[in-house]
Amino acid sequence: RHHMDMVLSGVDREYARNLSSYQKIVTRRNKVLFRIREGVSNKSELDFWDERLLSHGKYLSTYRAQFIDFLNLPTNEASNLKGLSWVLEQSLISEEKLLKNRDRDINAGVTLSGPHRDDFRFMFGGRDLEYFGSRGEQRMGVLALKAAELEFYQVKIGERPILALDDIFSELDWEHREAVLEVVGKQQTIITAAEKESVPKELSKASTINL
């Protein structure tokens, strides 16, 4: 979630403003919840914070969903990298839901639903790569995400940022290495490697190497 927020804040200032405001609102609402639980504040104080939570949270939820839809487009560069997909498990909120769960939040002393509870997952063949993926699959998942993000930047701001990859080739087979080569050639790329021999020769010949 934090990584996704960094990407979206980098292409949309309005997202960054809403994110900053939302995080402050959650913190202040949690303090009110704690005071209510301790018997020093009234439940009605939550009305103001709930309204602001909904306003800023809606922007975050909408933009995050659009970003995930972009990542999963069949025409996206990442679709060529072993059919990986991404799932956003959203903790959506509404006025009705906040009211219904108000006592639960008070008992916990924290806001238990909202975009700050969203979860972002890498999926491959119905498996969550965080728990069931090999190191090579996890590396390809990260690369696929980076490739999609680069395309997202291109669409949103008209340019692709520098791509940095740390020892990406050490645990990949040749098929996956070819997928990496397709990505790195589309923008300036910095690659680190523990062993020079792990870097494909065609890439070494076209690169500036610092030992």
Side-chain angles (χ1 to χ4, degrees):
R1 184 176 58 244
H2 175 67
H3 178 77
M4 179 168 55
D5 284 338
M6 289 180 59
V7 172
L8 298 182
S9 295
V11 300
D12 188 323
R13 292 181 180 178
E14 191 64 25
Y15 184 91
R17 284 193 289 267
N18 275 276
L19 177 63
S20 177
S21 296
Y22 180 84
Q23 291 171 335
K24 293 175 183 177
I25 291 165
V26 170
T27 298
R28 291 168 183 170
R29 186 177 189 271
N30 288 347
K31 290 180 180 178
V32 174
L33 289 168
F34 179 79
R35 290 200 301 268
I36 295 172
R37 189 179 68 179
E38 296 300 303
V40 295
S41 292
N42 191 283
K43 289 183 180 181
S44 61
E45 293 184 32
L46 290 171
D47 294 341
F48 171 77
W49 296 110
D50 286 1
E51 181 180 351
R52 299 190 68 190
L53 194 76
L54 287 168
S55 176
H56 294 287
K58 181 179 180 180
Y59 191 96
L60 301 182
S61 295
T62 300
Y63 207 75
R64 285 176 181 177
Q66 292 174 353
F67 176 62
I68 295 300
D69 287 343
F70 179 89
L71 293 184
N72 288 314
L73 284 174
T75 55
N76 197 300
E77 288 185 29
S79 64
N80 295 323
L81 300 176
K82 285 297 181 181
L84 288 158
S85 63
W86 292 268
V87 174
L88 176 63
E89 297 177 349
Q90 288 190 293
S91 179
L92 298 175
I93 51 176
S94 64
E95 183 178 357
E96 293 77 13
K97 184 175 181 179
L98 288 174
L99 286 173
K100 179 181 178 180
N101 295 332
R102 181 169 284 188
D103 288 340
R104 185 190 67 166
D105 286 359
I106 292 170
N107 290 331
V110 294
T111 303
L112 294 173
S113 57
H116 61 292
R117 297 282 179 167
D118 287 353
D119 199 4
F120 177 49
R121 299 189 181 278
F122 290 69
M123 304 298 294
F124 176 59
R127 296 180 291 123
D128 187 331
L129 287 185
E130 180 181 1
Y131 302 106
F132 303 106
S134 66
R135 284 176 61 88
E137 288 175 338
Q138 290 173 350
R139 284 176 180 270
M140 288 307 299
V142 172
L143 177 65
L145 177 62
K146 291 297 183 183
E149 289 173 1
L150 290 167
E151 187 67 19
F152 186 71
Y153 273 97
Q154 180 68 48
V155 170
K156 292 296 183 179
I157 63 176
E159 60 183 31
R160 301 167 75 93
I162 296 173
L163 174 62
L165 299 173
D166 180 24
D167 202 21
I168 186 67
F169 296 107
S170 62
E171 297 181 25
L172 299 180
D173 56 29
W174 285 108
E175 180 182 356
H176 287 116
R177 289 188 177 196
E178 289 180 0
V180 174
L181 293 176
E182 290 182 11
V183 174
V184 301
K186 296 182 178 181
Q187 65 285 305
Q188 184 177 352
T189 304
I190 299 174
I191 300 175
T192 63
E195 298 178 353
K196 182 179 177 181
E197 292 72 19
S198 67
V199 180
K201 293 181 179 180
E202 57 267 45
L203 181 60
S204 296
K205 292 178 181 179
S207 305
T208 300
I209 300 176
N210 294 316
L211 300 176

